[in-house]
Amino acid sequence: MTFGHSRDACGDDWPLVGRERELAALDAVAADVLSGRSRVVQLEGPAGVGKSVLLSSWWERNEQFRVLRARCHPLEREFAFGAVRQLFKPLLAAASEADRARLLDGTAAETLRALDDDAATEPLPEAANVTASTLRELDALVSRLSRRQPLLLAVDALQWIDQPSLRWLVHFVGRSDSHPVLIAVTTRSAEVKRLDPLFAELVRPANCHTIVVEPLDVAGVAQLVRTLWEVAEPDEAFCAACHAATGGHPLFVRALLHQAQRSGVQPTTQFRDRIPTVLLSTLAGEIAHRLCQASGEVVRLARALAFLGDRKPPELLAAYCGTGRAVVLSAAEDLRSLGLLRAGGDLRFTHPVVRDTVLGMLPPEELGAGHARAAQVSCLSGRPDEEVAAHLLAAGPVHGSWVLPVLRRAATQALRRGAPETAVTCLRAALNQPLDGAERARVLLELGTAASHYDAALAISCVTGALEELTDETARSDALGVLAYSLLMSRGSRTDLSSVDRKIAALCDRRAADSGAADRELALRMGALRSWMEFERPSVGRPAPAPVPDPDDDLADRTAGERQLLAIRAFRALRAALPAPYIAGLIERASVNLPAFSHDLFPLHYFVAQTLLYLDELDTADRLNRHLTREISGKGMELLVSSLMLYQAGLALRRGNVTEALATAQTAADQASSTGRLPYALTLDTIRIDALLAQGRIEDAERIAAVHSVAGQAEVAWERPRFLMSLAALRIAQGELRAGLSLLRECGHHCEAAGTVSPAMAPWRSRSVGAHLALGETASARALAEQELDLARRCRIPRALGVALRVSGVATSGARGLDLLAEAVQVLGPTPARLELARALGDFGAALMHRDDKRGARRALRRGLDVAVACGATVLAARLEERLHLAGGRVGRAGAAGTGVLTAGEERVCTLAAQGYSNKQIAELLVVTLRTVETHLTGAYRKLRIAGRPYLAAAMAAADTSRGGSGAAES
């Protein structure tokens, strides 16, 4: 048996006994890690059961690991990256300059922002979202360390960990499965865990192996008795009585045995009746009894340690106690002699139970006063602001001129480190200070800005309150930017949008006549916000601004305001069906060196992203989305992350990647079900309905559509017309042609009222054509098709033109219809609109069949079938298979094999997989979900007709080799 040694609450050394099962389980997990896999293990049990001792004893006999340790503390829950700093700061501090540079790999700034208290006080770079970089660099730091030696990250008392550190642990576990890293955490099972999705994610069974640390059995108690009394065979009845009195709880067993030995008890039968029952209350009584025997200096030091925490410098403890350093050190020796302080240089209690007992001896009013004194002493001693703020939050209301600046600085640091929840907590406490109107307004604005990262409703409430008292117009402009962004991220808000619009208009009108550069920039920004509200909430009731820019306007692209206006003009021109090259020029000027997202730039990114989507500049849009996702990852901006995931699903659907679009949208929906907070829920369900219909899953689409009531919508947002088109497609698929046409006409009314005539954004006419033809209403179908074709030729967007040509060709008989369909195929061929190309090829093949050109029909239909299969559009693929069969062609269930039928997403994933990247590494590199990677690989294996990853590289190479000669003549 292998023994480790520890110290109990009485300060004596004890062997580690009775833990063979737990040690074996840890060894098994370690074996997986040493083979190159990252793992998480949780030691769970009540306080004092020996979780930390077990873990430390285990790693002391496993020299394969480099151990980095953090011990969480209740007062440190609000320390941004507090646990991370405990893990890595000692290592980096001990490293040489050269080794430190190698570990940080030239990108130390972001990592040090989380690890270095001094770095956190530096000015924040403009528009920098530094926490995303911090998370990536922490991942890279762990990766480099683990390549040198397998790594053990030990985190004690996980239930008290700070949110940013927990977010990083989950981030690392979710993206790294190929590094020898063991994350070992201890948690108290007797405490109610926080309802925190990150906490649940880290310790869920799929990620974490949980070891429940049970109390000792009678044999374990006997081993402790044997060691303490140095007897070979203690009396079994005596050992059984000790076990019964303590329940086998190690902390209680050790306290009981220590007290029994000091009382002259021997481990024999005659002494078994003298064994008292030991529970936490009796152990606390023993600790309290020892403190009552101590001097006043010792008691004051115990209280100082209880409030300030372990490992604090003697000078700080002396300031709290109101004595000198020498007195504190002398009192520390007395505490050690009482068995309440650990041996060694650091001043810390032998067990958390000692701290709980010291604090439990105080009345509630003294607890608040103690934390208030700790806050003041810490502030005067130059301790970090977040440490001072933690005491302030624990103390309750504390007044003083120093309190407000501390709380605001702590909030700023928390935001800088990616902990908006911590910032909100600090700023809420700041509102309890005596504030004048201007100060209260500024704090409310800061609070609203922090809340906008994750809680739009709270942000709206705070910023609306701030606007009532803000007098500085620049600050009001900032507040309106945050408010507009929060409204964007809030669905179903009861905020009076008309009153918000009036505030924006009033500020805009006051500054419009001023000639200064700053005043002009403010006016441009307010104009951008008004334009956003006009698009986002048409029901606000203003007339739409003119869509075309004034040719005499010398608007440049030098400032953020000018670029915002350029993006808005581009979007308005898009809605008005102006030529695509003109729009592309505007959007290029607006998005050159597009900075990272920030509230003061809103809605620049919004209009750039929307315009790129409908211009079919999908590669550029995809790069923008990935850039923004990387920049805000880990920053705590949950609402924006959800929106970007939704945008990614929309991009996939625009490319025709039905499977990817549905998987990404489903991931977003799953996240919304756990948090209850997802902006653009209607757009999410629009994408899901379109994708499900493409796969023929009509019942699933109906269940999603039933959630949304079409009637009784008091507010008509831009999402509604798009949803109406998808709902119409569902009704038509269900055979309700008239109902579908009615919905499409309603969509047209909304679009025309909002000034949206572009068929790239609102192709309701082309979607009506098929239903009219099915009803025999040929004249109506042709009229709508001609209208859309005219608009499409005006806007010159290839997707819109190709769709319009296709429906016109279907609605037009004879050679003219065939020419239109051939032109549609030609126009759509070079575009990313793969699903529209497959539809055009199908209709072109059917038209060739009517002309009795079966050879040409087979060629078009087979090409369309391959594209439809690659898109995952099973309904269209089945229809094209049937047509191909009628044309005399051979039909394979999966279409043609080879990388030519892989979607762009599948090909990217397969290329990385063939190079040896793991699924999680691919997800991180491409900034997609793990589920998306798995879906792409599954689809690719099916299309390439291979069994799995080992055959992927060869299959792709063979397909690429043969692709150039795959155009054999049709039989």
Side-chain angles (χ1 to χ4, degrees), residues 291 297-307 321 335 349 358:
L291 284 174
E297 289 81 4
V298 172
V299 173
R300 282 192 290 272
L301 176 59
R303 291 179 179 176
L305 277 170
F307 282 112
C321 296
L335 270 179
F349 290 127
V358 172

Side-chain angles (χ1 to χ4, degrees), residues 28-39 65 150-151 179-182:
V29 176
D32 276 350
V33 174
L34 293 174
S35 67
R37 297 178 56 196
S38 297
R39 293 294 303 274
F65 288 92
L151 202 59
H179 301 297
V181 179
L182 173 59

